[in-house]
Amino acid sequence: QVQLVESGGGLVQPGGSLRLSCAASGRTFSSYVMGWFRQAPGKEREFVAAISRGGGTTGYVDSVKGRFTISRDNAKNTVYLQMNSLKPEDTGVYYCAASTAQYYTVHSGEYNYWGQGTQVTVSS
């Protein structure tokens, strides 16, 4: 069992930056693929980024490539999402998720544990 708690969301102007953190409970954090998803009002939840168990492989949705960076610190049981050059279309609730998949995955159905979400609002 893994419990995930996100933090770092908030209101930011277009072009600004935020860093999301997701702290995981338990001693097996390094055995999970970790991902970030987001859900905008009136839209379905979508994949944003994922990172392999050791951190050596990452993947992103096309709309955030070059702007967002996912990373993890297995010693601290934490995964991060650095978001730069934010746009209004990045607004939504951001969720951290953990998967027992062997490799990083973009499919929400392959994630076993989810956090409660943190709101990100990009607006002037």
Side-chain angles (χ1 to χ4, degrees):
Q1 192 79 356
V2 176
Q3 292 187 330
L4 305 171
V5 179
E6 302 98 333
S7 61
L11 173 64
V12 63
Q13 293 186 341
S17 298
L18 283 175
R19 187 193 196 202
L20 305 184
S21 298
C22 173
S25 65
R27 296 175 292 177
T28 59
F29 177 73
S30 61
S31 67
Y32 293 96
V33 168
M34 298 300 297
W36 285 97
F37 291 77
R38 66 186 179 188
Q39 187 167 18
K43 295 187 176 181
E44 294 186 354
R45 188 175 299 184
E46 67 167 348
F47 168 78
V48 175
I51 188 166
S52 60
R53 291 177 287 181
T57 302
T58 57
Y60 301 90
V61 66
D62 285 347
S63 60
V64 308
K65 284 180 180 177
R67 301 188 298 121
F68 290 14
T69 303
I70 187 171
S71 61
R72 68 190 295 163
D73 186 337
N74 286 344
K76 296 182 178 180
N77 284 10
T78 303
V79 63
Y80 305 96
L81 185 68
Q82 177 66 45
M83 306 186 295
N84 298 328
S85 302
L86 282 161
K87 304 176 181 180
E89 52 263 43
D90 294 317
T91 294
V93 178
Y94 282 68
Y95 298 90
C96 169
S99 172
T100 56
Q102 291 295 311
Y103 195 64
Y104 90 91
T105 175
V106 307
H107 302 294
S108 60
E110 295 184 11
Y111 284 81
N112 309 91
Y113 304 100
W114 293 82
Q116 82 289 349
T118 186
Q119 177 71 45
V120 171
T121 303
V122 185
S123 175
S124 54

